[in-house]
């Protein structure tokens, strides 16, 4: 695998993770389905995967960047499977609207599994680690730059939206409103 192909695959992976987060924000902001604490933790897993991909885009592919992706995906899949198991018992209900018949946490588990699989496959191609010290950041790729900054913006948005939803304390389960906005409104 060439350096260029590796960079392109990492950029496409970053855009795919960004799409998952954008869809989560769509459900949160447009459909007013606030993410539960487990959903927020799954977003942390996606952001960690995005950070690993972003580091590959910024500095070139490194095994430690892929390791960060694997750790983020392992964390995310464990949280998603926990949430699936909480809702698998008859009568326990579900959380959020289904998308194509599956809930967000089920899709998250599938996505994290695919990330684990894809990252493991990418680790097998050693030529991508042969970075020259003169290579520019992002490898001169516009796609890599765009993907990196979209992911960076979504990671910041995740931090801000979580703070607004939960405030400086523990998140409500299930969440019913944006705690920080409510607290600011009650003080006036």
């Amino acid at each position: 695998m060439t350096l260029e192909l590796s960079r392109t695959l990492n950029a496409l992976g970053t855009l795919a993770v960004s799409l998952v987060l954008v869809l989560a924000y769509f459900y949160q902001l447009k459909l007013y389905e606030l993410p539960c604490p487990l959903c927020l933790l799954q977003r942390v897993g996606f952001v960690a995967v995005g950070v690993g991909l972003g580091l590959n885009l910024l500095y070139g592919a490194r095994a430690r960047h892929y390791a960060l992706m694997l750790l983020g995906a392992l964390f995310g899949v464990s949280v998603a499977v926990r949430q699936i198991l909480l809702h698998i018992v008859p009568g326990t209900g579900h959380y959020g609207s289904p998308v194509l018949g599956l809930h967000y946490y089920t899709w998250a588990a599938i996505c994290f599994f695919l990330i684990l699989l894809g990252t493991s496959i990418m680790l097998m191609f050693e030529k991508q680690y042969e970075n020259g010290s003169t290579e520019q950041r992002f490898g001169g790729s516009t796609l890599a730059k765009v993907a990196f900054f979209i992911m960076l913006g979504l990671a910041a948005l995740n931090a801000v939206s979580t703070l607004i939803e939960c405030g400086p304390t523990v998140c409500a389960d299930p969440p019913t409103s944006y705690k920080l906005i409510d607290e600011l409104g009650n003080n006036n």
Side-chain angles (χ1 to χ4, degrees):
M1 174 182 305
T2 65
L3 295 176
E4 184 65 30
L5 178 58
S6 170
R7 179 108 42 205
T8 300
L9 290 174
N10 277 280
L12 292 174
T14 304
L15 291 174
V17 171
S18 296
L19 178 63
V20 169
L21 290 172
V22 165
L23 291 172
Y25 291 124
F26 173 79
Y27 271 76
Q28 177 180 344
L29 300 173
K30 184 72 174 163
L31 302 177
Y32 203 70
E33 292 188 4
L34 297 178
C36 68
L38 290 175
C39 299
L40 291 172
L41 289 173
Q42 290 165 50
R43 289 185 186 186
V44 169
F46 282 117
V47 168
V49 170
V51 168
L53 286 162
L55 290 171
N56 275 344
L57 294 175
L58 187 58
Y59 299 112
R62 302 277 192 282
R64 63 181 166 265
H65 302 162
Y66 286 123
L68 177 60
M69 293 168 57
L70 290 172
L71 290 171
L74 283 171
F75 172 77
V77 77
S78 66
V79 173
V81 168
R82 182 184 189 309
Q83 191 167 11
I84 291 168
L85 293 174
L86 286 174
H87 298 291
I88 204 166
V89 176
T92 58
H94 55 78
Y95 193 83
S97 301
V99 179
L100 301 174
L102 299 175
H103 292 281
Y104 179 79
Y105 42 87
T106 306
W107 282 114
I110 293 168
C111 289
F112 284 124
F113 173 78
L114 293 174
I115 290 166
L116 289 167
L117 180 65
T119 304
S120 298
I121 291 169
M122 288 293 289
L123 280 166
M124 291 191 285
F125 297 98
E126 293 182 19
K127 281 197 173 219
Q128 67 182 319
Y129 305 121
E130 297 172 3
N131 281 342
S133 59
T134 60
E135 183 182 332
Q136 347 173 274
R137 290 189 174 174
F138 301 109
S141 168
T142 302
L143 177 65
K145 289 176 190 172
V146 168
F148 177 84
F149 286 110
I150 288 172
M151 187 66 227
L152 185 65
L154 288 169
L157 179 62
N158 187 63
V160 170
S161 71
T162 301
L163 178 64
I164 292 170
E165 180 184 340
C166 302
T169 61
V170 176
C171 297
D173 189 19
T176 55
S177 65
Y178 290 100
K179 187 187 268 185
L180 193 61
I181 292 173
D182 290 347
E183 287 176 5
L184 291 175
N186 291 336
N187 289 336
N188 292 331

